[in-house]
Amino acid sequence: MNILLVEDNLLIIKGLSYAFEKNNYNLISKTNTKDTIDYLNCNNNIDLIILDITLLDGNGFDLFEENIKRRKIPTIFLTAKDDENDIVKGLEIGAEDYITKPFSTKELLARINKILLRTKKKNIIKKDNITFDTDKLLLYKDNKKIELTALELKLVNLLFLNLNKVVTRSTILDKIWEWTGNDVDDHTITVYFKRIREKIGNNIITTMKGIGYIINE
């Protein structure tokens, strides 16, 4: 599990690095908003973020709302700001938790475990020997990654997000236009899903003739 710590207190970074390593977490630390944004733009394998609010070059609330929230990475605010209004704001804008300093490392780890267990169950969908991560858009067969194009992954994601529901061909046409700006026809959709099935090697996608496609649990 990869956890990103955004914190400018070097003592806290050192202490948490040791504790997290003992608990088999890979802790990546950044001390300011600029380095955090640069890192997030280049990496999509973060499972959870621990975020201070008061940083040398910015505000943790702004960093969360402008750069983290849209990535749907579970976030815990860890801060000395213990005003009730700040706590309420942190939770209302979408953080999973809010912990004030000084804090217990054991309690922090317990809350992290609880969040990761909950989000893993919600974001990982399994069908037979196929596993799909709806957050990271990664598809696996027998725990081996299946290489799909960006558009193919979006189409698979569309079906998994509508599990047990038929996604109509007209909806798929609209989505392809939205994603690519390309005006495609029914035949092109058929070709896309033929390629996806060939790469998956498992017939988890059912064609509803003349209507659309569905993945049933």
Side-chain angles (χ1 to χ4, degrees), residues 3 15 38-39 46 49 72 84 87 92 95 128:
I3 296 178
D38 290 344
Y39 184 82
I46 298 299
I49 295 175
K72 298 182 180 179
E84 182 179 0
I87 297 173
E92 283 186 342
D128 300 334

Side-chain angles (χ1 to χ4, degrees), residues 111-183:
R111 296 196 188 193
I112 287 171
N113 290 335
K114 185 176 181 180
I115 291 169
L116 290 176
L117 181 62
R118 183 175 70 250
T119 55
K120 182 178 180 181
K121 287 181 178 178
K122 182 173 63 177
N123 300 331
I124 304 298
I125 302 174
K126 291 187 177 182
K127 166 68 176 175
D128 300 334
N129 61 338
I130 302 297
T131 304
F132 187 63
D133 187 325
T134 59
D135 272 357
K136 298 178 181 179
L137 294 186
L138 295 175
L139 186 68
Y140 299 90
K141 179 181 180 181
D142 296 323
N143 296 319
K144 293 182 180 179
K145 184 179 176 183
I146 299 173
E147 297 294 340
L148 299 177
T149 67
L151 180 57
E152 288 168 349
L153 277 170
K154 288 180 179 179
L155 290 171
V156 170
N157 185 50
L158 181 63
L159 294 186
F160 271 108
L161 290 179
N162 291 276
L163 201 62
N164 301 317
K165 298 178 182 177
V166 176
V167 180
T168 64
R169 298 178 77 87
S170 61
T171 297
I172 295 169
L173 287 170
D174 290 342
K175 285 294 183 181
I176 292 176
W177 169 259
E178 177 185 323
W179 295 330
T180 68
N182 296 330
D183 190 9

Side-chain angles (χ1 to χ4, degrees), residues 48-74:
L48 183 139
I49 295 175
I50 303 169
L51 176 60
D52 194 1
I53 293 174
T54 307
L55 299 166
L56 294 176
D57 63 342
N59 181 286
F61 286 143
D62 295 336
L63 178 60
F64 176 81
E65 291 194 280
E66 296 171 8
N67 294 278
I68 296 173
K69 189 173 183 177
R70 60 185 169 85
R71 290 180 165 89
K72 298 182 180 179
I73 305 174

